[in-house]
């Protein structure tokens, strides 16, 4: 008997029909002789609606209260899924993150899981019940309700699969798997049957929101087999696997896009040791994650440092830079939230010369200016004007031969 953790995203539990379809699938999975643990997201865009409501009510959103509000979304889904299961004669029980033993740190709205004590989930399984767990939430070491960051139900599912030593963690969503690009941006994108953990981490880190980055990291660390698939067609999707050394690697597997970041430039800083250290220490102390960093070649002993942060962190980052401007001797701090990033990802690019040249030539051919560049051994990212990102993804998708062949 296999133990399967099934996570259903927002659209998969978006209305009464979808919830009934989920219950049917859980019931079929049981009939096939498996044990099932279900993890659910909030219905549709309910988390966004709650965020908007908070904005409408008050300019102040104490993080503890925001978490209390947002966790309500997943509670609704879990109870409704259990009701739909009951109608099919399947006995189940819903659990909040806290009841499921998901213990986190105290960093509200982006808490990290410290430990899972899945005793109640195991007991439920042992007594023949299907546990239905609210994704995206836990309880902190201070006993407060926390959330794990947007898209965090993926993390709940993988963490539970690891703690329960599940045979597979299935991520059900509104696309049939991981594609060569976001199918909403590139209609000719193709589903990838198998992708390595390394590549998936790069895809998730650069905008492919189909799996939250932390869930991929966690799955790799604990060896949890991940299967991303559709709750609309139920067909087999994409497996995230360890790289197979005997397999020929695709030079470029996917093109990603991301317009969720903004750029900050600290201009006219003295080109001497310690300036960057101070700047990024201050940002780190405020919990800001810095992504791309570019320091221009110094001239006359002065230089500029540009970096990108999530748009949601822009205000705090700008204030931080302005506060220490005097200390580090910077001339000015400017920001730009009209940027976007396009990235190409592929394990095979390590050994294939010419990939960077083809990327730059393709952008040049279409008159797209590159403002920043960053690379890893299996990724190249370029920052562009935000309004050129979608075009850039489509051009690169074609240039690297990823377009689906039409018959
Ligand atoms: P869920 O609510 O099920 O968690 P998400 O909206 O978080 O769903 O993730 C699924 C979405 O991710 C898809 O609808 C798709 O538009 C988007 N996406 C972005 N990049 C990719 C990609 N490379 N492959 C598949 N989907 C992608
Ligand atoms: N409902 C949460 C969100 O919208 C968590 C998730 O769906 O994974 O971010
Ligand atoms: Mg998601």
């Amino acid at each position: 008997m296999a133990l399967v953790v099934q996570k259903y995203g927002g659209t998969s539990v978006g209305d009464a029909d979808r919830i009934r379809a989920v219950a049917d699938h859980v019931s079929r999975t049981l009939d096939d002789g498996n044990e099932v643990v279900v993890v659910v997201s909030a219905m549709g865009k309910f988390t966004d609606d709650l965020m908007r409501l908070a904005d409408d009510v008050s300019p102040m959103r104490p993080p503890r209260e925001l978490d209390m509000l947002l966790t309500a979304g997943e509670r609704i889904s879990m109870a409704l899924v259990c009701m739909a299961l009951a109608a099919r004669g399947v006995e189940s029980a819903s659990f909040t993150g806290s009841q499921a033993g998901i213990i986190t740190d105290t960093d509200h709205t982006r808490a990290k899981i410290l430990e899972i004590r899945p005793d109640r989930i195991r007991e439920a399984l042992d007594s023949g019940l299907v546990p239905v767990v609210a994704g995206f939430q836990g309880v902190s070491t201070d006993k407060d309700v926390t959330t794990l960051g947007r898209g965090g139900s993926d993390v709940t599912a993988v963490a539970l699969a690891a703690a329960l030593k599940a045979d597979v963690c299935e991520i059900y969503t509104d696309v049939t798997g991981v594609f060569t690009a976001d199918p909403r941006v590139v209609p000719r994108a193709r589903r990838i049957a198998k992708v390595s953990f390394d590549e998936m981490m790069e895809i998730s880190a650069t905008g492919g929101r189909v799996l939250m980055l932390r869930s991929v990291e966690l799955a790799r660390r604990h060896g949890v087999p991940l299967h991303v698939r559709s709750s609309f067609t139920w067909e087999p999707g994409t497996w995230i696997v360890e790289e197979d050394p005997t397999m020929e690697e695709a030079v470029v597997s996917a093109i990603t896009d991301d317009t969720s970041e903004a750029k900050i430039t600290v201009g006219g800083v003295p080109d001497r040791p310690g300036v960057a250290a101070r700047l990024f220490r201050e940002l780190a102390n405020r919990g800001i994650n810095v992504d791309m960093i570019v320091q221009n070649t110094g001239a006359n002993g002065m230089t500029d440092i540009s970096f990108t942060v999530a748009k949601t962190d822009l205000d705090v980052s700008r204030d931080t830079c302005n506060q220490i401007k005097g200390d580090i001797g910077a001339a000015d701090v400017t920001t730009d939230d009209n940027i976007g990033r396009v990235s190409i990802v592929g394990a095979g690019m390590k050994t294939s010369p010419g990939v960077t040249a083809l990327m730059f030539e393709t952008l040049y051919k279409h008159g797209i200016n590159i403002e920043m560049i960053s690379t890893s051994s299996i990724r190249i990212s370029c920052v562009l004007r935000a309004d050129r990102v979608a075009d850039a993804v489509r051009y690169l998708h074609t240039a690297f031969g990823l377009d689906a062949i039409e018959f």
Side-chain angles (χ1 to χ4, degrees):
M1 187 163 54
L3 173 59
V4 183
V5 173
Q6 297 185 335
K7 178 256 170 178
Y8 294 95
T11 35
S12 304
V13 290
D15 58 30
D17 282 343
R18 300 305 318 152
I19 290 176
R20 282 193 291 266
V22 163
D24 282 339
H25 188 67
V26 171
S27 168
R28 279 198 300 273
T29 313
L30 293 169
D31 290 345
D32 289 342
N34 303 290
E35 280 186 308
V36 182
V37 175
V38 177
V39 174
V40 286
S41 289
M43 293 172 72
K45 300 259 172 255
F46 198 68
T47 309
D48 292 326
D49 295 344
L50 290 173
M51 289 277 233
R52 251 191 305 277
L53 191 57
D55 273 342
D56 288 349
V57 166
S58 160
M60 302 286 289
R61 301 192 306 190
R64 180 183 183 278
E65 305 314 323
L66 188 60
D67 274 356
M68 196 60 97
L69 178 74
L70 296 186
T71 51
E74 272 69 13
R75 272 190 180 230
I76 294 174
S77 316
M78 70 182 191
L80 292 173
V81 167
C82 286
M83 291 176 195
L85 285 169
R88 278 146 193 81
V90 174
E91 289 194 71
S92 66
S94 62
F95 296 90
T96 63
S98 162
Q99 290 174 316
I102 297 175
I103 318 293
T104 73
D105 63 18
T106 55
D107 197 4
H108 282 287
T109 74
R110 52 176 160 201
K112 297 250 164 21
I113 297 178
L114 299 175
E115 193 192 339
I116 298 208
R117 297 182 197 145
D119 312 2
R120 291 193 67 182
I121 303 299
R122 245 190 250 288
E123 280 164 27
L125 283 169
D126 290 346
S127 57
L129 298 176
V130 172
V132 180
V133 180
F136 172 56
Q137 55 177 267
V139 62
S140 75
T141 43
D142 285 350
K143 301 192 170 55
D144 279 321
V145 166
T146 50
T147 62
L148 309 176
R150 298 305 307 269
S153 298
D154 296 337
V155 179
T156 307
V158 172
L160 270 176
L164 296 166
K165 301 198 169 34
D167 295 279
V168 58
C169 181
E170 297 181 331
I171 306 287
Y172 286 94
T173 184
D174 56 2
V175 285
T176 55
V178 179
F179 280 65
T180 49
D182 185 342
R184 287 176 211 273
V185 178
V186 184
R188 289 177 168 207
R190 286 182 284 128
R191 184 174 58 79
I192 313 172
K194 258 196 215 174
V195 63
S196 70
F197 277 109
D198 278 347
E199 288 172 308
M200 195 63 227
M201 283 199 269
E202 294 282 7
I203 292 171
S204 293
T206 57
R209 70 174 192 282
V210 61
L211 279 178
M212 195 205 200
L213 175 61
R214 277 161 52 201
S215 71
V216 188
E217 288 167 351
L218 206 60
R220 157 171 257 177
R221 195 161 350 118
H222 294 278
V224 175
L226 266 181
H227 186 187
V228 179
R229 50 193 303 197
S230 162
S231 67
F232 290 75
T233 65
W234 309 106
E235 66 195 284
T238 301
W239 284 88
I240 325 295
V241 291
E242 275 304 339
E243 217 170 300
D244 176 352
T246 61
M247 249 166 51
E248 191 84 63
E249 293 161 330
V251 176
V252 171
S253 305
I255 320 276
T256 59
D257 65 284
D258 184 5
T259 47
S260 67
E261 294 191 343
K263 180 169 79 170
I264 300 184
T265 302
V266 183
V269 285
D271 193 6
R272 60 173 156 73
V275 170
R278 173 77 199 281
L279 174 61
F280 293 107
R281 168 52 59 202
E282 294 290 340
L283 290 164
N285 286 348
R286 287 162 180 79
I288 306 290
N289 248 327
V290 174
D291 195 359
M292 292 171 83
I293 303 173
V294 172
Q295 177 169 334
N296 292 335
T297 318
N300 308 322
M302 304 301 261
T303 188
D304 293 341
I305 300 175
S306 293
F307 57 92
T308 63
V309 293
K311 278 182 184 160
T312 45
D313 286 338
L314 180 58
D315 289 344
V316 178
S317 305
R318 186 200 291 113
D319 292 349
T320 308
C321 294
N322 278 320
Q323 276 161 21
I324 61 161
K325 197 170 88 175
D327 291 0
I328 59 174
D332 51 26
V333 175
T334 52
T335 60
D336 181 352
D337 60 3
N338 253 321
I339 58 155
R341 169 164 54 158
V342 58
S343 308
I344 62 176
V345 176
M349 72 171 69
K350 286 181 284 210
T351 48
S352 299
V355 175
T356 314
L358 179 57
M359 180 178 196
F360 294 174
E361 280 159 8
T362 305
L363 297 175
Y364 164 65
K365 202 167 86 189
H366 293 94
I368 298 173
N369 191 40
I370 302 170
E371 300 180 21
M372 287 167 96
I373 300 163
S374 84
T375 61
S376 79
S377 62
I378 62 165
R379 172 187 52 80
I380 308 167
S381 298
C382 294
V383 168
L384 322 166
R385 285 294 91 202
D387 60 4
R388 300 307 313 271
V389 166
D391 282 343
V393 177
R394 285 188 283 266
Y395 296 137
L396 291 168
H397 199 267
T398 305
F400 283 98
L402 297 175
D403 287 352
I405 300 156
E406 290 190 39
F407 294 99

